[in-house]
Amino acid sequence: MTSAKLPEQCETMIEVRAGVDEVDRALVALLVRRFGYMDAAARIKTDRGTVRDEARKAQVIDNVAREAEAAGLEPERLRAVWNELVEQSIAYEAIRWDRLRTDR
């Protein structure tokens, strides 16, 4: 991720959009990896009831909020984004859990 200008170097909307597009590509790659961990969790967990873990969900979101605040971002904005990400991850993991046990 080095071809786009840094935000503070951008002078045109074309440069801004190129930067956003580059970051989005990197985020998708990271999300592919994150969802790979959901595949692993679905494989490892023996009880479907453990797919949803509210304590872990809160921990993940709190961790992100702390990181966001330390980086100068609004923690509540990132909490909202991560809440949706974690909910989608849980839904994905549940589907994977079911498929792994019905495809045998």
Side-chain angles (χ1 to χ4, degrees):
M1 195 170 86
T2 58
S3 62
K5 290 184 175 185
L6 295 174
E8 61 273 8
Q9 297 170 333
C10 292
E11 297 177 1
T12 68
M13 284 308 300
I14 290 171
E15 293 168 341
V16 168
R17 290 176 180 146
V20 168
D21 291 347
E22 186 174 90
V23 169
D24 286 348
R25 284 189 297 276
L27 286 171
V28 168
L30 288 170
L31 289 170
V32 167
R33 183 176 174 192
R34 190 183 201 287
F35 277 76
Y37 288 113
M38 300 304 97
D39 286 330
R43 177 176 40 83
I44 292 166
K45 291 178 180 176
T46 57
D47 179 4
R48 192 180 191 282
T50 63
V51 169
R52 175 171 288 281
D53 181 344
E54 290 298 329
R56 175 61 181 152
K57 177 183 172 183
Q59 180 185 37
V60 168
I61 293 171
D62 288 345
N63 290 344
V64 167
R66 275 192 301 279
E67 290 290 326
E69 190 166 29
L73 296 174
E74 298 172 32
E76 291 311 309
R77 188 170 308 278
L78 273 285
R79 278 182 182 281
V81 170
W82 251 259
N83 184 67
E84 183 63 26
L85 174 59
V86 173
E87 284 299 322
Q88 291 300 322
S89 297
I90 291 167
Y92 176 84
E93 183 183 334
I95 290 168
R96 297 297 297 153
W97 196 97
D98 291 342
R99 283 187 187 156
L100 285 170
R101 278 129 189 106
T102 58
D103 289 347
R104 292 181 184 187

